[in-house]
Amino acid sequence: MRYQSFLIKYAEIGVKGKNRYMFEDALVKQIRLALQAVEGEFEVVKETGRIYANALSDFEYEDALAALKRVFGVSAICPLVQVEDLGFEELKKQAAAYLDQVYPRKDFTFKVDARRANKQYPKTSEEINRDLGEMLLETFPGLSVDVHHPQVMLHVEVRSRINLYSQVIPGPGGMPVGTNGRAMLLLSGGIDSPVAGYMIAKRGVVIEAVYFHAPPYTSERAKEKVVELARLVSRYGGPIRLHIVNFTDIQLYIYDQCPHEELTIIMRRYMMRIGERIAREQKCLGLITGESIGQVASQTVQSLAATDEVCTMPVFRPVIGFDKQEIVDIAEKIGTFETSIQPFEDCCTIFVAKHPVTRPDIRKIRHSEGKLAERIDQLVETAVETAEVVDCGRR
Ligand code: ATP
Ligand code: MG
């Protein structure tokens, strides 16, 4: 089937008044950006409370559909066939040809749902429904009509041209990126943090990311893996500016000065502090992590409290209540899983103690951090100043 256009549906619940225009304009913008990466030329237009992506040239249908399925805010995508209004007899032929091509097996129940934007059309919607329905029953004897729960609803929109569609392909839902501020994702090479970034981007938040790299303990390959993960997440939320912070000297200093069972917690507190500094410089309003209660020693409720204590920005932890398998399922769905499980060490595993504290006492942690007084400010300063920036993803 050759489609000429897509009708893009979006959920409007809670999006009213002025916000609705913001929502729609942001969605149009994101759809345009997504289609830029697809072969072919498109115009994206808002028309009477609907959004259409019209092809202006030949295009790669599967690629266009895949791109639209990644645009947050889209609840469904309906590929359209547009026919010229050449009289009702011609429309009958076109409607039959449409069903013939889209549905190889003609054994379903259906209903015709006509709408006229063009009120000059010689038939009413009711007449179109009835006459097209009759014709389809005659043409395809295996079909039957079910007006309440049809398996196929053939929509016929009579405008200056006539749109035919029946397929409603689910989109990702969520809110268009750009409608909800900006946040900084602490992105490691693991499974959880890319999923966390995806989930917050899905709520309309622009994502930036920071990765703590510890050469030579973490390899160049580990860094490339994180860059690739940022690129994969950017296919949904748009380009991600990734800040790569050299964390080696800070880790070694903590390793030298502090009790080893507290290393992970203290390191994580410094990741949050540095993440927050870069976040503030980049006008981010929150931090995002892939933490989930109880997953590892550094994610017990006590450890999370100890990590949280150093943050003044809100920390968004969208997978906090998820089991690992639930996170894996999302990672697979969004296409980050295969990259995440490539076996490159991340900086935490190298310095991890045999018996890390699982119930850190915040006063003790603060006391241990006191031993870093001499050099830590300078080391943090240098780490922030020397951060490398990599722009990941389209645009
Ligand atoms: P993930 O699968 O996301 O790596 P994890 O199960 O390995 O998570 P931790 O290593 O304890 O858990 O990390 C918890 C969170 O801290 C991560 O989800 C991520 O947000 C952040 N984080 C951990 N290591 C780094 C790093 N090297 N750079 C940036 N953020 C990190
Ligand atoms: Mg990790």
Side-chain angles (χ1 to χ4, degrees):
M1 192 80 238
R2 265 173 71 99
Y3 299 100
Q4 290 91 359
S5 175
F6 297 92
L7 165 63
I8 314 275
K9 298 194 169 176
Y10 49 93
E12 294 153 42
I13 302 160
V15 185
K16 302 200 185 88
K18 211 176 93 203
N19 286 339
R20 176 172 168 154
Y21 291 103
M22 238 181 61
F23 182 98
E24 289 171 343
D25 290 346
L27 186 54
V28 166
K29 184 175 161 197
Q30 293 304 320
I31 293 169
R32 283 195 185 123
L33 287 169
L35 289 173
Q36 269 175 17
V38 176
E39 194 143 332
E41 219 185 303
F42 298 88
E43 59 164 11
V44 182
V45 290
K46 223 162 78 170
E47 238 180 82
T48 55
R50 298 175 139 202
I51 295 174
Y52 293 90
N54 300 318
L56 303 175
S57 68
D58 284 345
F59 68 102
E60 287 295 330
Y61 172 76
E62 290 301 334
D63 292 354
L65 184 61
L68 292 170
K69 278 175 152 177
R70 291 194 295 260
V71 178
F72 295 132
V74 171
S75 65
I77 304 148
C78 307
L80 300 183
V81 170
Q82 291 184 327
V83 300
E84 299 295 333
D85 177 10
L86 300 173
F88 195 68
E89 285 309 308
E90 182 61 23
L91 177 59
K92 278 180 170 175
K93 277 190 205 148
Q94 298 282 2
Y98 173 89
L99 279 198
D100 192 26
Q101 286 187 47
V102 176
Y103 301 98
R105 291 171 58 116
K106 311 308 183 270
D107 58 356
F108 48 83
T109 62
F110 77 101
K111 175 182 172 180
V112 180
D113 179 40
R115 274 183 203 200
R116 294 183 313 163
N118 167 15
K119 299 291 180 201
Q120 309 302 316
Y121 197 75
K123 281 184 189 282
T124 65
S125 303
E126 276 313 307
E127 287 166 342
I128 300 173
N129 289 344
R130 193 192 56 218
D131 294 353
L132 283 185
E134 270 173 20
M135 175 279 295
L136 290 169
L137 285 173
E138 275 168 32
T139 314
F140 305 112
L143 301 193
S144 54
V145 170
D146 180 342
V147 289
H148 299 298
H149 303 288
Q151 289 167 306
V152 172
M153 178 84 91
L154 176 63
H155 296 272
V156 179
E157 293 183 345
V158 181
R159 315 174 137 236
S160 53
R161 289 198 280 179
I162 298 172
N163 292 329
L164 300 175
Y165 71 93
S166 60
Q167 300 168 83
V168 181
I169 300 160
M175 319 241 335
V177 169
T179 52
N180 262 323
R182 176 185 288 271
M184 181 66 75
L185 169 66
L186 277 76
L187 181 62
S188 69
I191 297 167
D192 310 325
S193 46
V195 170
Y198 167 89
M199 288 177 72
I200 297 298
K202 183 162 179 248
R203 299 307 304 161
V205 178
V206 175
I207 302 291
E208 287 209 21
V210 57
Y211 167 58
F212 296 92
H213 185 41
Y217 304 99
T218 56
S219 64
E220 201 58 24
R221 295 288 298 280
K223 172 170 134 184
E224 281 162 17
K225 174 176 154 180
V226 174
V227 171
E228 174 61 8
L229 285 171
R231 192 191 67 76
L232 290 172
V233 175
S234 81
R235 297 187 311 157
Y236 300 87
I240 294 181
R241 172 169 272 244
L242 173 65
H243 304 262
I244 300 172
V245 173
N246 188 321
F247 205 47
T248 312
D249 291 345
I250 294 175
Q251 274 190 316
L252 290 174
Y253 189 48
I254 300 172
Y255 192 75
D256 278 346
Q257 305 293 321
C258 302
H260 286 185
E261 66 276 12
E262 292 174 359
L263 273 182
T264 310
I265 292 290
I266 296 176
M267 253 164 41
R268 297 198 50 72
R269 282 161 63 98
Y270 276 96
M271 282 188 190
M272 296 307 244
R273 289 181 173 113
I274 295 173
E276 189 168 290
R277 270 198 52 176
I278 300 176
R280 191 159 286 121
E281 278 170 18
Q282 301 299 320
K283 312 253 182 303
C284 295
L285 301 172
L287 300 174
I288 306 162
T289 75
E291 289 161 311
S292 151
I293 292 175
Q295 200 184 78
V296 286
S298 61
Q299 295 176 31
T300 63
V301 169
Q302 292 85 348
S303 300
L304 287 166
T307 309
D308 212 54
E309 195 217 14
V310 301
C311 305
T312 60
M313 277 184 187
V315 182
F316 305 131
R317 299 179 169 94
V319 301
I320 195 73
F322 283 10
D323 295 346
K324 193 72 187 186
Q325 188 58 45
E326 292 171 303
I327 304 173
V328 166
D329 289 347
I330 301 177
E332 282 180 332
K333 187 184 82 182
I334 67 176
T336 54
F337 183 72
E338 288 302 320
T339 304
S340 287
I341 59 172
Q342 286 172 13
F344 303 118
E345 72 297 342
D346 77 19
C347 66
C348 305
T349 52
I350 305 258
F351 292 92
V352 104
K354 275 209 187 67
H355 301 288
V357 283
T358 52
R359 287 187 201 155
D361 174 339
I362 288 185
R363 279 167 310 174
K364 267 169 112 183
I365 299 286
R366 286 195 205 124
H367 176 77
S368 303
E369 282 182 353
K371 297 178 189 153
L372 303 171
E374 197 183 326
R375 290 179 56 214
I376 195 71
D377 288 350
Q378 185 52 48
L379 289 174
V380 166
E381 208 57 46
T382 306
V384 171
E385 276 168 15
T386 59
E388 178 194 350
V389 176
V390 180
D391 285 309
C392 306
R394 62 176 153 87
R395 231 168 275 181

